[in-house]
Amino acid sequence: MNVHELLTRRSLAACTAFAGVAAAVLVGHGGLHTVVGCGIANDATPSLTAKDWVTNADHAVVATPVREQDTNRRDFKTGPVQYRTDRTVTLRRDSVLWSSDSPKRALGENFDMTAAGWNVYRSGTRTKRTAAEAPRLEPGHTYLLALRWTDAGWTVLGEGAAVPFDDHTVGQGEWCGRDLSKEDVAMAELFSRSDDHSLEKTLNGQDEAAVTRELKRAVDA
């Protein structure tokens, strides 16, 4: 991620914190850097725009997490954190908005992804592992995802390829472990760069048909 993109995401985080929607969120570091919501973003491939999605992804889908299971537990002998986990999240494929002409793998009705998990403290407190620039992928919420198949399974392209989509509305839903409305995101985007053409910003507040049109426009461009 370049410096301008990083500043944009930090502006978004700062603005939502000011609005009171990101207060008290604990940012987890040291996670799986290729997994959405886990650690510091370091995209291996561009992921922000519709063109990025249709160039680099296998599928663009609407999906809803339906199950989660703690995985990859790491225990610590010292410090306040007793152990840390990831989560294996099973998502239901609600609809496919676009697929590559030659995807690496077909996408089933349900599929698994690794996502940020939990910090469990010696006191017994259990806190979400989150990152300021990404959703956690939580059951009860819906997302737009640009997916690619890797040796480790399904993952998103990067931080721009997992977009809150509750009520089939771009920018509405879970983000960094908190529930945001499209108005919250719109307020934050006022502080982003004028040349930010991310799919999330371009289509904020719009529906599934708008996403499909934007992806088709990117294919035809």
Side-chain angles (χ1 to χ4, degrees):
M1 180 170 59
N2 63 39
V3 173
H4 292 301
E5 290 169 349
L6 179 59
L7 290 174
T8 297
R9 290 291 171 171
R10 286 180 175 175
S11 295
L12 177 58
C15 183
T16 52
F18 176 78
V21 297
V25 174
L26 299 178
V27 177
H29 295 287
L32 302 176
H33 73 277
T34 59
V35 176
V36 64
C38 197
I40 299 173
N42 183 20
D43 291 353
T45 54
S47 69
L48 295 178
T49 68
K51 189 64 176 179
D52 293 337
W53 287 27
V54 301
T55 300
N56 301 307
D58 292 304
H59 307 282
V61 303
V62 177
T64 300
V66 293
R67 291 187 299 277
E68 61 180 358
Q69 180 179 359
D70 290 356
T71 54
N72 301 327
R73 172 169 166 161
R74 285 88 76 198
D75 292 282
F76 302 97
K77 294 182 179 180
T78 61
V81 177
Q82 181 178 0
Y83 66 89
R84 176 175 292 159
T85 73
D86 300 321
R87 289 176 302 136
T88 295
V89 179
T90 300
L91 297 101
R92 181 187 68 230
R93 184 197 70 198
D94 296 331
S95 58
V96 178
L97 306 184
W98 169 87
S99 287
S100 168
D101 290 337
S102 54
K104 293 179 181 177
R105 178 165 294 205
L107 188 69
E109 292 185 6
N110 294 287
F111 60 97
D112 291 343
M113 288 177 58
T114 301
W118 305 89
N119 284 325
V120 180
Y121 291 82
R122 299 187 194 283
S123 63
T125 301
R126 180 178 169 98
T127 62
K128 296 177 179 179
R129 294 182 59 225
T130 63
E133 68 275 2
R136 270 174 50 89
L137 302 180
E138 295 186 340
H141 294 281
T142 300
Y143 303 88
L144 287 172
L145 303 174
L147 299 170
R148 62 186 178 94
W149 179 258
T150 70
D151 291 341
W154 289 111
T155 186
V156 294
L157 289 179
E159 64 165 302
V163 178
F165 199 56
D166 284 1
D167 300 321
H168 290 248
T169 302
V170 175
Q172 181 165 285
E174 184 270 319
W175 186 83
C176 192
R178 306 286 296 212
D179 288 354
L180 300 185
S181 68
K182 62 181 184 292
E183 289 80 15
D184 294 327
V185 175
M187 180 188 298
E189 294 292 5
L190 292 175
F191 291 82
S192 68
R193 302 186 338 267
S194 60
D195 63 341
D196 176 3
H197 302 300
S198 67
L199 185 145
E200 184 173 3
K201 180 177 180 179
T202 300
L203 298 182
N204 183 60
Q206 299 188 54
D207 61 9
E208 194 166 320
V211 178
T212 302
R213 286 194 300 270
E214 191 71 12
L215 294 172
K216 184 178 185 303
R217 186 178 296 117
V219 170
D220 295 338

